[in-house]
């Protein structure tokens, strides 16, 4: 017996047609090697050939250029200033202080922005690494036990895990599962070690199966996995393809409910694309987690759409074949039957800032890092904040580790009580703690967008801080000071800032213009719905003013903004995305 799931009559298991070009380049890549090594030697250009431009993603890098200066360079007939963004692999977001000091130094010495950027998927990025420094970067990471394998491209990405420092035993076990899942689903090709770490190629024969899980053509599209510990859905599981919800008894992990097929991205004007919540397949004992993970990944590998990349993610496969059929296939491949889901409840998302004491007696400090950008800010709205120096000083004395959260924040975890006062002082002196940060600011998030993201249609990271100033003033005016709305901005509909799980989600449409979505819930189990299209800042603020005034006057006791806008009939609830989201 297991949960009911939708069925589709006469499902199309394999989408026929001409495959997307990415399929050719993966097939020809000799297991992700391509001609990256040759390209690296070519100093006539700072960039990579079109095929390698795609392939380096599977090694954790994206080719970029600074869009603020792109037009000026074009005018001067110069090639764009090509560089790479690196995204590290950090299952569960844990990084030790030795590793931190190494990445801090690399960011200073070899990146053009000098920052460490914490991401919405519990890791960090360097922006602006020039070609001659790429190998050094990987060797630096390797020297402290880090890598960037499979943090991008058509593979399983960084595996997330709830940052729960308080229940240390449960967290430790969940974190170990996140690490095991990451290793299990990692590409097995040795391309990364050969290209970046100068390791010898080990010859293989035709009979060797190089990629038993991912296959020689890897996955049809990116794939995302989480381990989440209720009641905190801080990792926003519905943004992910495969989720293991930790079920515990007496503080001990016994197994997982498995949720499949979440994802947030869409394309403006293409109603065949939409954000979608994951389906609950049922419960499995923890020992079966790796087998189930492999079965879900291989089913998506074989049934995912390789013709149209816009419909290639697991969420579309589930809607095409029916979640019921997908689960049956997973059961057959893993040789396991899902049991009924075990009860659990998510009550919130986000991080709990400040100090908490763990059951192990250690202290943990969660720092709010606006936009996840760790930098010593020389000018602008954060002028004087020495976040990067502050983190370095903490890393020098801290005996525990750091945990990056999926909300672009950072936990100084496992602090010995004797060091608490010193760490607090360093954090305050460098602007890492401020008593002035409002609940609204702590509930707001934005993706990177300009100047580094090539896909940005509107500002996000650079826009959010000022927008929050205005929203704070509006809330205060409407007698809502101290209250907050989950507000997220993404520079385009890919949704990296997870606006598609926000109570107010702003999605970039063009310079200074956003689509406005309303109505996700606090626990992150409902996607919002379009409210206004292509609106500018003045309209956005006027709408937030009018809506929050109504919320203030008409809400039921304790009713969250996202629930209110649905109950008040301001937007309709999205129950089934494929049916309701664009309706
Ligand atoms: Fe993302 C692409 C940044 C989380 C959906 N994302 C990009 C690129 C690499 C642009 C590109 O393809 O050239 C962005 C680089 C910007 C820059 O300059 O750094 C980018 N994504 C980010 C980060 C850094 C946003 C942030 O502010 O933290 C996040 C890094 C995560 C990580 O560490 O792995 C990030 N991206 C997400 C999320 C949120 C999540 O996973 O929780 C999503 C939505 C969830 C989902 O996958 O549905 C997301 N990013 C995308 C997509 C759309 C995928 C799709 O299904 O169509 C793209 C574009 C693509 O893949 O074609 C994209
Ligand atoms: Fe870039 Fe769009 Fe992702 Fe923002 S949502 S980082 S603009 S791809």
């Amino acid at each position: 017996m297991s949960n009911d799931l939708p069925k589709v009559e006469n499902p199309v298991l394999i989408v026929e047609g001409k495959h997307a070009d990415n399929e050719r380049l993966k097939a020809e890549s000799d297991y992700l090697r391509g001609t990256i090594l040759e390209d690296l030697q070519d100093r006539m250009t700072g960039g990579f050939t079109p095929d390698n431009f795609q392939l380096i993603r599977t090694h954790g890098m994206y080719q970029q250029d600074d869009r603020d200066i792109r037009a000026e360079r074009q005018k001067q007939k110069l090639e764009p200033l090509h560089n790479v963004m690196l995204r590290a692999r950090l299952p569960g977001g844990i990084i030790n202080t030795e590793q931190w000091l190494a990445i801090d130094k690399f960011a200073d010495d070899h990146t053009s922005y000098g920052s460490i950027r914490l991401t919405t998927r519990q890791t960090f990025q360097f922006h602006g690494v020039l070609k001659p420094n790429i190998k050094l970067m990987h060797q630096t990471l390797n020297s402290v036990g880090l890598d960037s394998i499979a943090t991008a491209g058509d593979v399983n990405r960084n595996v997330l895990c709830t940052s729960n420092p308080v229940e240390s035993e449960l967290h430790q076990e969940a974190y170990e599962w996140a690490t095991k899942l990451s290793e299990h689903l990692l590409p097995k090709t040795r391309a990364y070690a050969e290209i970046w770490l100068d390791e010898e190629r080990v010859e293989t024969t035709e009979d060797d199966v190089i990629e038993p899980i991912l296959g020689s053509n890897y996955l049809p599209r990116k794939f995302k996995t989480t381990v989440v510990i209720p009641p905190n859905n801080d990792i926003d599981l519905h943004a992910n393809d495969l989720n293991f919800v930790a079920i515990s008894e007496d503080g001990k992990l016994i197994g997982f409910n498995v949720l499949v097929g979440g994802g947030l991205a869409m394309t403006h004007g293409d109603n065949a694309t939409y954000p979608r919540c994951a389906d609950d397949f049922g419960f499995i004992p923890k020992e079966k987690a790796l087998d189930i993970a492999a079965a879900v990944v291989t089913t998506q590998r074989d049934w995912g759409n390789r013709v149209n990349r816009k419909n290639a993610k697991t969420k579309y496969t589930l809607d095409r074949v029916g979640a019921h059929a997908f689960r049956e296939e997973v059961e057959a491949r893993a040789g396991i039957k899902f049991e009924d889901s075990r009860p659990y409840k998510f009550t919130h998302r986000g991080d709990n800032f400040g100090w908490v004491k763990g059951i192990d007696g250690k202290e943990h400090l969660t720092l709010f890092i606006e936009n996840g950008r760790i930098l010593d800010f020389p000018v602008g709205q954060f002028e004087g904040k020495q976040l990067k120096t502050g983190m370095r000083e903490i890393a020098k004395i801290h005996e525990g580790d750091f945990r990056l959260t999926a909300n672009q924040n950072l936990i100084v975890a496992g602090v010995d009580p004797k060091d608490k006062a010193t760490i607090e002082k360093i954090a305050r002196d460098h602007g890492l703690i401020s008593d002035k940060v409002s609940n609204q600011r702590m509930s707001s998030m934005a993706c990177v967008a300009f100047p580094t993201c090539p896909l940005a249609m509107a500002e996000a990271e650079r826009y959010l801080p000022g927008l929050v100033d205005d929203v704070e003033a509006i809330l205060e005016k409407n007698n809502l000071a101290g209250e907050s709305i989950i507000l997220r901005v993404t520079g385009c509909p890919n949704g990296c800032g997870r606006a598609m799980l926000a109570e107010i989600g702003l999605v970039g449409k063009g310079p200074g213009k956003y689509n406005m979505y309303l109505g996700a819930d606090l626990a992150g189990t409902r996607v919002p719905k379009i409210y206004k299209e292509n609106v500018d800042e003045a309209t956005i603020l006027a709408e937030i003013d009018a809506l929050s005034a109504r919320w203030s006057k008409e809400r039921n006791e304790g009713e969250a903004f996202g629930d209110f806008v649905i109950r008040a009939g301001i937007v309709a609830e999205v129950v089934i995305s494929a049916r309701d989201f664009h309706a």
Side-chain angles (χ1 to χ4, degrees):
M1 245 314 267
S2 52
N3 316 2
D4 280 342
L5 287 174
K7 291 182 181 166
V8 166
E9 276 196 34
N10 305 319
V12 177
L13 299 186
I14 311 286
V15 178
E16 302 290 351
K18 186 174 179 300
H19 279 188
D21 191 48
N22 288 57
E23 295 303 321
R24 173 200 57 77
L25 77 92
K26 283 181 280 180
E28 289 173 1
S29 74
D30 187 15
Y31 293 97
L32 308 182
R33 292 175 180 85
T35 53
I36 295 174
L37 262 180
E38 287 85 326
D39 240 3
L40 265 188
Q41 315 298 332
D42 181 0
R43 295 292 156 88
M44 292 300 287
T45 165
F48 289 84
T49 62
D51 279 7
N52 292 334
F53 176 97
Q54 296 289 340
L55 278 180
I56 59 168
R57 295 183 172 191
T58 58
H59 302 253
M61 289 169 293
Y62 288 84
Q63 182 174 314
Q64 298 187 325
D65 68 292
D66 187 327
R67 294 181 63 181
D68 284 350
I69 58 168
R70 191 186 278 175
E72 185 53 38
R73 287 183 68 91
Q74 222 165 11
K75 236 195 269 164
Q76 294 176 16
K77 302 210 174 349
L78 292 170
E79 167 179 277
L81 189 54
H82 296 305
N83 57 61
V84 301
M85 172 268 272
L86 170 111
R87 184 182 288 161
R89 184 172 70 97
L90 217 54
I94 299 192
I95 181 164
N96 67 37
T97 50
E98 183 205 4
Q99 292 168 333
W100 186 271
L101 291 171
I103 66 165
D104 172 80
K105 183 163 167 31
F106 187 87
D108 272 353
D109 294 348
H110 299 296
T111 73
S112 40
Y113 298 88
S115 66
I116 296 171
R117 174 56 156 75
L118 311 185
T119 76
T120 52
R121 294 189 65 76
Q122 266 186 332
T123 185
F124 67 86
Q125 291 182 174
F126 293 136
H127 287 98
V129 181
L130 298 175
K131 211 183 209 181
N133 295 324
I134 295 178
K135 227 172 177 175
L136 173 69
M137 169 172 69
H138 290 290
Q139 297 186 351
T140 304
L141 292 178
N142 181 254
S143 71
V144 289
L146 293 173
D147 64 64
S148 62
I149 302 172
T151 54
D154 297 345
V155 285
N156 180 59
R157 306 279 184 99
N158 195 41
V159 178
L160 307 188
C161 179
T162 298
S163 313
N164 175 348
V166 180
E167 293 170 277
S168 40
E169 215 176 300
L170 186 58
H171 177 267
Q172 179 61 26
E173 213 182 336
Y175 165 69
E176 279 164 18
W177 279 106
T179 307
K180 280 189 243 179
L181 286 161
S182 172
E183 298 293 329
H184 195 56
L185 301 178
L186 217 54
K188 301 292 180 272
T189 170
R190 292 183 31 81
Y192 183 91
E194 288 165 22
I195 299 171
W196 311 110
L197 309 178
D198 297 329
E199 288 187 13
E200 287 289 310
R201 181 162 187 165
V202 180
E203 284 313 321
T204 50
T205 68
E206 274 190 5
D207 297 336
D208 290 328
V209 180
I210 312 288
E211 296 287 10
I213 296 179
L214 299 173
S216 56
N217 255 39
Y218 295 86
L219 302 181
R221 199 69 168 87
K222 55 172 64 168
F223 191 93
K224 297 180 173 177
T225 303
T226 75
V227 178
V228 54
I229 311 172
N232 188 2
N233 182 19
D234 61 342
I235 51 80
D236 259 331
L237 75 86
H238 290 290
N240 294 274
D241 299 68
L242 172 59
N243 304 277
F244 292 88
V245 178
I247 303 295
S248 57
E249 269 175 19
D250 304 324
K252 296 248 182 301
L253 184 74
I254 56 161
F256 301 100
N257 288 347
V258 179
L259 276 73
V260 180
L264 304 183
M266 57 179 167
T267 303
H268 288 313
D270 179 353
N271 285 3
T273 65
Y274 46 84
R276 180 190 194 279
C277 286
D279 290 319
D280 191 342
F281 276 22
F283 173 84
I284 53 151
K286 63 180 177 183
E287 298 75 25
K288 303 295 182 191
L290 297 184
D291 292 341
I292 285 290
V296 172
V297 169
T298 58
T299 303
Q300 163 60 6
R301 178 195 71 195
D302 297 343
W303 288 3
N305 186 337
R306 290 186 188 259
V307 174
N308 180 358
R309 287 179 67 75
K310 287 201 182 303
N311 288 123
K313 286 204 73 187
T314 317
K315 60 180 178 178
Y316 301 115
T317 313
L318 284 194
D319 283 343
R320 172 164 47 79
V321 306
H324 185 85
F326 194 107
R327 182 178 59 194
E328 277 187 340
E329 182 67 16
V330 170
E331 289 180 328
R333 289 182 188 218
I336 300 161
K337 284 268 175 220
F338 285 95
E339 298 169 28
D340 268 354
S341 278
R342 301 290 164 92
Y344 69 96
K345 199 169 173 10
F346 289 127
T347 52
H348 60 290
R349 286 180 283 170
D351 301 324
N352 296 316
F353 296 97
W355 289 99
V356 285
K357 203 181 185 84
I359 53 175
D360 58 354
K362 297 278 188 191
E363 297 280 351
H364 309 278
L365 172 64
T366 304
L367 300 170
F368 170 70
I369 309 290
E370 191 150 31
N371 293 321
R373 185 72 68 178
I374 296 196
L375 182 65
D376 289 347
F377 290 91
V379 288
Q381 56 212 144
F382 304 118
E383 190 169 339
K385 284 200 173 183
Q386 302 282 302
L387 306 188
K388 191 147 171 300
T389 303
M391 283 307 307
R392 186 186 318 126
E393 293 307 314
I394 293 174
K396 283 183 191 163
I397 62 154
H398 176 44
E399 290 168 6
D401 53 39
F402 294 148
R403 295 182 188 171
L404 311 190
T405 80
N407 301 298
Q408 305 168 336
N409 297 310
L410 187 146
I411 304 175
V412 183
V415 176
D416 193 301
K418 75 173 169 29
D419 296 330
K420 186 177 169 187
T422 316
I423 287 181
E424 164 129 11
K425 181 164 183 349
I426 298 173
R428 283 191 182 276
D429 287 352
H430 293 83
L432 286 158
I433 298 179
S434 160
D435 298 329
K436 290 188 205 129
V437 179
S438 67
N439 288 337
Q440 182 53 55
R441 196 166 299 273
M442 292 190 284
S443 303
S444 305
M445 193 158 82
C447 72
V448 178
F450 286 97
T452 52
C453 179
L455 308 178
M457 298 172 175
E459 294 281 356
E461 176 175 332
R462 297 195 292 199
Y463 176 46
L464 185 71
L467 173 68
V468 173
D469 289 343
D470 293 333
V471 174
E472 285 168 347
I474 289 171
L475 293 183
E476 196 171 334
K477 179 183 137 215
N478 291 321
N479 303 315
L480 292 164
E483 300 273 356
S484 59
I485 299 170
I486 297 177
L487 167 69
R488 294 175 175 178
V489 185
T490 65
C492 83
N494 287 321
C496 305
R498 295 198 293 269
M500 283 304 103
L501 285 169
E503 294 183 285
I504 300 180
L506 299 179
V507 178
K509 192 84 201 289
K513 294 285 181 68
Y514 299 84
N515 285 354
M516 189 173 180
Y517 291 78
L518 303 179
D521 58 340
L522 288 186
T525 58
R526 184 172 68 219
V527 300
K529 181 136 174 109
I530 187 91
Y531 173 62
K532 293 280 166 199
E533 218 169 322
N534 208 25
V535 286
D536 61 9
E537 180 171 49
T539 312
I540 291 166
L541 293 177
E543 288 295 343
I544 295 179
D545 191 4
L547 292 166
S548 60
R550 279 192 65 183
W551 180 44
S552 175
K553 288 200 196 89
E554 299 170 31
R555 71 170 162 169
N556 293 332
E557 198 181 331
E559 191 177 30
F561 179 84
D563 295 335
F564 167 74
V565 291
I566 289 175
R567 185 180 58 77
I570 294 164
V571 289
E573 180 175 356
V574 176
V575 182
I576 300 172
S577 289
R579 183 192 68 193
D580 305 334
F581 184 73
H582 292 293

